[in-house]
Amino acid sequence: MRDAYLIGAGQSDFGAFPDESYRSLFRTAFEEMVESVPDGISRDDIDEAYIGMVSIGGRQIGLPGPAVTEHVGLDGIPCVRLENACAASGYSIRQAIQAVRSGMADVALAGGTEVMNDLGRDRARYWLGVSGEMEWERMAGTTFSGVFAQMASAHMNEYGTTREQLSHVAVKSHEHGAKNPHAHLGYECSLEDAESAPTIAAPLGLYHCCPMSDGAASVLIASEDVVDDYTDDPIRVAGAGASSGGIGLFERDSYTSIPATKQAAESAYEEAGMAPEDLDFAEVHDCFSIAEVIAYEDLGFCEPGEGGAFAESGETRLGGDLPVNTSGGLKSKGHPIGATGASQMVEVFEQLSGHAGDRQVEDATVGLAHNIGGSGGAATVHILEKEGSA
């Protein structure tokens, strides 16, 4: 198969935008993406499109992919919408990579868009719930915060992880997000702020939970045959992994690990010929602070049970050995479900291109993006490398 390269990426601001639609948000992301391609690109060069969207609130459940590609002037190209809960655009990226590697496309677009803040609280809870296990969890009244609270409690009971260690994750994420002009919650918080915030689902407090966001993101994947037409500084997709698993906690052997993440990471590391110690930074799925702690362990950044201490150590901050979620992550940057995976790739592109501004990781050459759906029923892991850096 041919090598695939990341040649451009862009996103809208994330937040609450009552005057925006899923189409207009995607247009903003698309235009920023086009402008980011170093040597420029024409709409006519794009062969395929894959759009992640959960259609929160029931808007445009059928054909939302063509609805946004037509809106940005990509008339006539093959387009499909992917829905894999919060991993929707992580999987759209996977499909774009596969299309390019297989020879079906020379340039493929992958992205996502979501509007979430025009719903009342009860409707929002319902539509978020469709991404979880419906029959035995959601219909019984369990929320996503409740599911991740169970995971946090299990991690604390099994390993001695503390609530304060979860708060260190939140403090770090806001520290990074305050440097990201696109972030929904672009401000810093103190450890005291995180520790004293109202409880959402014990032991998780307000600062341990991500916001519901409106927003969009998109990226361009190109083949080795054409990449030189678009950039002299290529970023190669070194490894791509994906997996799925039980969508309900009761279907798993453990509440303290997400098997789909471990399996996707194993595939990505193997394909890349790399290990966790080869990474310069990572974007991981932190819908709740405990999710980031578990991701540290499942992705091999530390041993099982050591994620809390790893968060507290400061190594995941900018300037640490492995900065995590330099974008602010879902916690601070925001979480428009269908766009989240693609927005992680936007951060990878900016870091490896040296355009991350105050968030820049020094001498960054290898980055990882990790995206999960629901509480771990689906996962993607992508490893990207600035070519010529090995």
Side-chain angles (χ1 to χ4, degrees):
M1 292 191 295
R2 302 185 301 179
D3 273 339
Y5 292 84
L6 177 62
I7 61 168
Q11 70 170 86
S12 71
D13 289 343
F14 285 4
F17 306 118
D19 296 327
E20 297 278 6
S21 70
Y22 72 94
R23 286 184 173 98
S24 63
L25 289 166
F26 189 80
R27 175 182 284 278
T28 298
F30 179 87
E31 290 175 349
E32 182 176 289
M33 175 195 71
V34 169
E35 291 175 5
S36 76
V37 179
D39 295 335
I41 191 167
S42 165
R43 282 168 168 75
D44 293 337
D45 294 343
I46 301 173
D47 302 313
E48 299 267 341
Y50 302 90
I51 306 299
M53 185 174 172
V54 179
S55 296
I56 293 294
R59 63 179 54 76
Q60 197 55 50
I61 291 177
L63 297 175
V68 298
T69 53
E70 179 275 334
H71 189 67
V72 299
L74 296 179
D75 303 316
I77 72 166
C79 176
V80 65
R81 172 267 192 114
L82 289 92
E83 188 282 298
N84 235 1
C86 318
S89 57
Y91 270 85
S92 74
I93 291 165
R94 175 176 172 79
Q95 292 304 113
I97 291 168
Q98 296 287 61
V100 165
R101 285 178 167 179
S102 71
M104 188 170 70
D106 276 327
V107 179
L109 179 151
T113 184
E114 207 78 65
V115 172
M116 302 175 66
N117 282 291
D118 60 348
L119 305 177
R121 182 171 296 181
D122 288 342
R123 286 192 72 206
R125 273 200 296 259
Y126 171 81
W127 280 101
L128 286 170
V130 302
S131 295
E133 206 290 324
M134 288 293 293
E135 186 175 7
W136 297 105
E137 289 184 346
R138 293 303 175 269
M139 296 304 289
T142 305
T143 62
F144 267 123
S145 55
V147 167
F148 280 91
Q150 292 177 67
M151 296 168 76
S153 295
H155 208 277
M156 290 174 173
N157 291 336
E158 186 170 345
Y159 297 119
T161 305
T162 67
R163 191 175 187 276
E164 184 173 308
Q165 289 173 332
L166 300 184
S167 295
H168 277 284
V169 175
V171 172
K172 178 268 303 174
S173 296
H174 277 273
E175 183 180 298
H176 294 171
K179 297 177 172 65
N180 185 348
H182 289 307
H184 186 166
L185 305 179
Y187 53 81
E188 295 190 9
C189 79
S190 68
L191 189 62
E192 181 182 357
D193 291 334
E195 285 288 276
S196 63
T199 297
I200 301 301
L204 302 178
L206 181 64
Y207 278 95
H208 303 133
C209 309
C210 73
M212 294 192 304
S213 307
D214 306 332
S218 63
V219 304
L220 285 171
I221 306 295
S223 77
E224 63 182 55
D225 295 337
V226 301
V227 65
D228 291 343
D229 295 340
Y230 305 109
T231 181
D232 296 324
D233 195 18
I235 297 168
R236 186 174 68 92
V237 179
S243 186
S244 60
I247 60 173
L249 289 185
F250 65 89
E251 298 175 284
R252 303 180 199 164
D253 294 332
S254 170
Y255 282 18
T256 62
S257 177
I258 295 176
T261 292
K262 296 175 76 171
Q263 293 156 4
E266 182 179 347
S267 296
Y269 287 134
E270 181 178 359
E271 185 178 277
M274 295 182 187
E277 52 266 29
D278 295 313
L279 303 174
D280 295 312
F281 66 95
E283 288 287 301
V284 310
H285 197 97
D286 62 325
C287 46
F288 298 89
S289 294
I290 184 59
E292 180 165 328
V293 167
I294 290 174
Y296 296 158
E297 299 169 9
D298 287 342
L299 294 167
F301 302 166
C302 62
E303 293 298 316
E306 295 180 0
F310 189 58
E312 192 173 11
S313 71
E315 295 301 334
T316 60
R317 279 189 160 92
L318 280 164
D321 282 348
L322 182 61
V324 175
N325 289 343
T326 54
S327 68
L330 285 62
K331 174 65 203 72
S332 175
K333 177 186 59 181
H335 184 27
I337 293 180
T340 289
S343 73
Q344 294 175 324
M345 198 65 82
V346 173
E347 182 70 11
V348 171
F349 178 78
E350 291 184 349
Q351 289 287 350
L352 295 182
S353 299
H355 297 148
D358 292 340
R359 308 186 314 282
Q360 185 64 51
V361 175
E362 187 175 358
D363 299 324
T365 58
V366 179
L368 176 147
H370 158 250
N371 189 203
I372 67 170
S375 59
T380 61
V381 174
H382 293 105
I383 299 172
L384 291 98
E385 178 181 28
K386 190 173 181 179
E387 195 162 79
S389 61

